[in-house]
Amino acid sequence: MNKFIEKYVKNKTVGFWLGFGASLALLITDIIFIAVDFSDRTFSAVTFALILVGAAAEIVYFFLDFGFLDFIPLVACLCFGVALGMHLNLGLATLSDVWNGVNFIGGDPKAAIGFGIVFIIGTIVTAISCFMRQRKA
């Protein structure tokens, strides 16, 4: 256990842990997203897959501690940003039904808002972590 900590944890900074924590939070949210929202209008397989790819990129970056792979947090942030855009694109159609008082598109507006808020926060935190140092010098 001590060698694991020395090899993988000791040289990480706050910037890395912000991005890694946000990625894990988005991964957990993504699992809940597919569990409760699969048949809904606000669900998108692209959103689900991109969040999985972004979280996997951060997990890979945790274990592969090479200097030339410092772009991986940016890849995760890009995946989260595109997934967020996809979710907002589908969610706004659902919210337009609520605003207009007509059930035309369908979907769960609470799910669209709830998952959208978590996706926005996770994407912003990951973007902030991209501008911070990832490893101690």
Side-chain angles (χ1 to χ4, degrees), residues 49-89:
L50 283 171
I51 290 178
L52 280 181
V53 169
E58 281 284 344
I59 292 169
V60 165
Y61 185 61
F62 177 77
F63 289 107
L64 298 179
D65 193 18
F66 300 114
F68 66 90
L69 294 176
D70 285 342
F71 68 92
I72 289 181
L74 183 61
V75 171
C77 185
L78 270 161
C79 289
F80 297 151
V82 174
L84 171 65
M86 193 70 172
H87 179 73
L88 292 178
N89 183 33

Side-chain angles (χ1 to χ4, degrees), residues 94-105:
T94 299
L95 292 176
S96 72
D97 286 352
V98 175
W99 292 324
N100 295 324
V102 177
N103 192 7
F104 181 71
I105 301 292

Side-chain angles (χ1 to χ4, degrees), residues 1-133:
M1 183 68 168
N2 199 15
K3 289 185 181 193
F4 176 81
I5 291 172
E6 284 181 21
K7 185 173 182 180
Y8 296 112
V9 177
K10 192 174 182 181
N11 67 343
K12 304 293 193 250
T13 63
V14 173
F16 171 81
W17 291 114
L18 276 174
F20 189 74
S23 295
L24 290 181
L26 284 173
L27 179 64
I28 292 167
T29 304
D30 201 33
I31 293 168
I32 295 169
F33 180 64
I34 195 169
V36 301
D37 205 28
F38 186 72
S39 64
D40 194 17
R41 169 76 170 101
T42 58
F43 177 80
S44 168
V46 174
T47 303
F48 177 75
L50 283 171
I51 290 178
L52 280 181
V53 169
E58 281 284 344
I59 292 169
V60 165
Y61 185 61
F62 177 77
F63 289 107
L64 298 179
D65 193 18
F66 300 114
F68 66 90
L69 294 176
D70 285 342
F71 68 92
I72 289 181
L74 183 61
V75 171
C77 185
L78 270 161
C79 289
F80 297 151
V82 174
L84 171 65
M86 193 70 172
H87 179 73
L88 292 178
N89 183 33
L90 294 174
L92 286 177
T94 299
L95 292 176
S96 72
D97 286 352
V98 175
W99 292 324
N100 295 324
V102 177
N103 192 7
F104 181 71
I105 301 292
D108 185 8
K110 290 177 265 177
I113 292 171
F115 288 117
I117 289 171
V118 175
F119 292 161
I120 287 171
I121 292 170
T123 303
I124 290 172
V125 170
T126 306
I128 290 169
S129 76
C130 287
F131 292 99
M132 301 172 76
R133 186 178 294 261

